[in-house]
Amino acid sequence: MATHFVIDGLKAAIEGKEILKGINLEIKGGEIHAIMGPNGTGKSTLASALMGHPKYEVTEGSAQINGEDLLEMDVDERARAGLFLAMQYPSEIPGVTNSDFLRSALNARRGEGNEISLIKFIRQMESKMKELEMNPEFAHRYLNEGFSGGEKKRNEILQMMLLDPKIVVLDEIDSGLDIDALRIVSTGVNAMRSEDRGFLIITHYQRLLNYITPDFVHVMMQGRIVKSGGPELAERLENEGYDWVKEELGIVDETVGQA
Ligand SMILES: Nc1ncnc2c1ncn2[C@@H]1O[C@H](COP(=O)(O)OP(=O)(O)OP(=O)(O)O)[C@@H](O)[C@H]1O
Ligand SMILES: [Mg+2]
């Protein structure tokens, strides 16, 4: 079945404070959606709430992959259902090698009784690392420990390629990447484009979207998607910033309103 991802009226709070105020979004297999928006508007919160981070309390709404509600599932089940998140700030796990982490993530995705053999895993990992022009030594280092910003991001893409997810959420995958890494990571993402997979790409800069052409661009402000369009919307934001969107929609800055 072609992938169909629907977020409907999603609200989420952190420590009692509502951050997401009703997100609606539909992503079909083969589509790339980009979300842009000022700092602190809830973009990463959306990613974390979808993935089931315990700090984020979903208070209303649903998020379904092919009719199955993700929000009813625990984190492992979400991964098994095909959701993948590349985090804005990937965490370091000292004591766990990257290769061990990747293999358990892959086995969690595949489910019990369907684990991958060690030999097959190593072969797959090595070939993907080669595609991403990663030094093989990164397989044996502790997960993200001492990785540079760009190395962490590249490692997130390695995870994505191995896990073969249905819905991919990339949170600022371009931040900290040098020009060559941006090209390599984008090539990796483009190679993963397929009818069975949808992408949600959170970014601040139109530059990434020169490499990965989105079908839709959404603007998020104050916990809502306030405007949607095509790639030309990203270009206008890059050139003009967000003020015109606020003016057009009559959005008043919360901080200004409180002053
Ligand atoms: N764990 C947390 N505890 C308290 N507040 C939080 C937490 N996580 C997020 N917030 C608050 O929620 C709001 C939305 O944060 P979020 O990280 O989703 O923004 P963002 O749109 O991803 O911003 P950026 O573009 O800077 O990454 C911010 O005001 C932030 O301070
Ligand atoms: Mg963020």
Side-chain angles (χ1 to χ4, degrees):
M1 185 177 17
T3 299
H4 191 202
F5 183 51
V6 183
I7 303 174
D8 185 19
L10 182 66
K11 295 189 178 180
I14 301 163
E15 287 159 7
K17 185 180 176 218
E18 187 169 82
I19 308 286
L20 300 182
K21 297 175 180 162
I23 301 285
N24 300 304
L25 195 62
E26 183 178 355
I27 302 179
K28 298 197 183 109
E31 291 178 352
I32 295 191
H33 292 242
I35 291 193
M36 300 177 77
N39 293 129
T41 48
K43 303 178 301 296
S44 297
T45 301
L46 173 62
S48 298
L50 290 175
M51 207 61 225
H53 191 295
K55 254 206 143 146
Y56 302 82
E57 189 203 346
V58 172
T59 51
E60 250 183 83
S62 65
Q64 302 190 336
I65 290 187
N66 297 343
E68 279 186 280
D69 195 353
L70 281 174
L71 306 179
E72 306 281 314
M73 304 177 191
D74 66 31
V75 175
D76 265 18
E77 286 174 311
R78 293 180 201 210
R80 212 168 307 137
L83 182 68
F84 174 81
L85 166 63
M87 284 187 290
Q88 182 173 1
Y89 303 108
S91 23
E92 304 189 354
I93 312 187
V96 176
T97 66
N98 200 17
S99 139
D100 282 347
F101 174 81
L102 288 169
R103 190 151 68 101
S104 36
L106 180 53
N107 282 333
R109 164 91 169 99
R110 293 167 62 109
E112 242 176 72
N114 189 28
E115 286 86 355
I116 191 169
S117 77
L118 183 57
I119 296 285
K120 223 170 156 189
F121 167 73
I122 289 173
R123 230 182 274 139
Q124 277 190 20
M125 181 181 63
E126 286 179 347
S127 98
K128 309 282 185 211
M129 287 181 82
K130 217 168 176 182
E131 264 180 68
L132 291 168
E133 298 178 27
M134 287 175 77
N135 185 328
E137 80 172 39
F138 278 91
H140 311 293
R141 284 176 58 177
Y142 292 149
L143 181 65
N144 288 322
E145 196 184 43
F147 286 23
S148 77
E151 287 164 354
K152 284 181 184 170
K153 296 290 175 176
R154 217 183 286 211
N155 204 50
E156 295 288 291
I157 294 299
L158 173 64
Q159 282 176 40
M160 174 196 75
M161 290 170 100
L162 277 167
L163 294 180
D164 192 23
K166 287 196 173 84
I167 291 293
V168 176
V169 182
L170 303 176
D171 194 356
E172 295 198 22
I173 197 68
D174 48 336
S175 84
L177 290 184
D178 69 41
I179 294 157
D180 290 334
L182 185 63
R183 179 184 44 81
I184 293 163
V185 158
S186 308
T187 307
V189 169
N190 286 327
M192 294 285 289
R193 275 190 98 149
S194 96
E195 286 307 304
D196 295 330
R197 194 171 359 257
F199 288 85
L200 181 58
I201 298 183
I202 298 167
T203 182
H204 283 297
Y205 303 106
Q206 199 264 335
R207 184 189 54 177
L208 176 69
L209 308 178
N210 286 334
Y211 291 87
I212 305 170
T213 312
D215 301 288
F216 302 94
V217 174
H218 309 279
V219 182
M220 189 158 168
M221 278 185 192
Q222 299 177 5
R224 289 189 180 88
I225 288 171
V226 297
K227 197 172 180 64
S228 298
E232 74 289 344
L233 181 53
E235 255 165 64
R236 182 155 183 211
L237 293 171
E238 179 101 352
N239 293 329
E240 300 178 35
Y242 290 103
D243 281 353
W244 67 274
V245 181
K246 292 181 195 163
E247 271 166 38
E248 193 178 289
L249 300 169
I251 294 171
V252 180
D253 272 329
E254 280 173 334
T255 43
V256 174
Q258 283 159 9

